[in-house]
Amino acid sequence: MSHFVSISGLPHKLEVNSEPGALLEICELNGISFPRCRQGRCGSCQVRLVSGSVSEEKAMTALSLSERKRGAILPCVVIARSDIHIEMWKYD
């Protein structure tokens, strides 16, 4: 199943499938690159989930509880479960 992702700063919605790593891949195909481990350990691809729902394919070990409460997700290990909106913003 596929869903649509809107990314702050991009003028259009992108279709993303419900497979592990698909969200990171669609970001990269649209010119948003991250240094990455692709395992949820480094946190370099951290973005904010503004709306919608995702599930973790692997544990997001790089995120603190505080970051998670503020909406942080790691595109390398989450799967879109609905249409989502994300902001390319790294927490302090």
Side-chain angles (χ1 to χ4, degrees), residues 61-74:
T61 57
L63 298 180
S64 69
L65 181 58
S66 174
E67 289 169 324
R68 286 171 173 257
K69 286 181 178 178
R70 291 183 284 175
I73 61 168
L74 300 176

Side-chain angles (χ1 to χ4, degrees), residues 31-92:
I32 302 166
S33 62
F34 304 99
R36 66 209 179 274
C37 67
R38 293 195 182 269
Q39 298 296 314
R41 293 186 199 137
C42 73
S44 64
C45 65
Q46 185 179 144
V47 298
R48 179 173 175 258
L49 179 65
V50 177
S51 64
S53 65
V54 298
S55 63
E56 295 177 37
E57 185 259 334
K58 294 181 183 175
M60 295 188 285
T61 57
L63 298 180
S64 69
L65 181 58
S66 174
E67 289 169 324
R68 286 171 173 257
K69 286 181 178 178
R70 291 183 284 175
I73 61 168
L74 300 176
C76 67
V77 295
V78 298
I79 299 168
R81 295 296 182 204
S82 69
D83 291 350
I84 62 173
H85 178 78
I86 60 173
E87 289 181 337
M88 309 310 291
W89 182 71
K90 179 136 173 132
Y91 295 107
D92 296 328

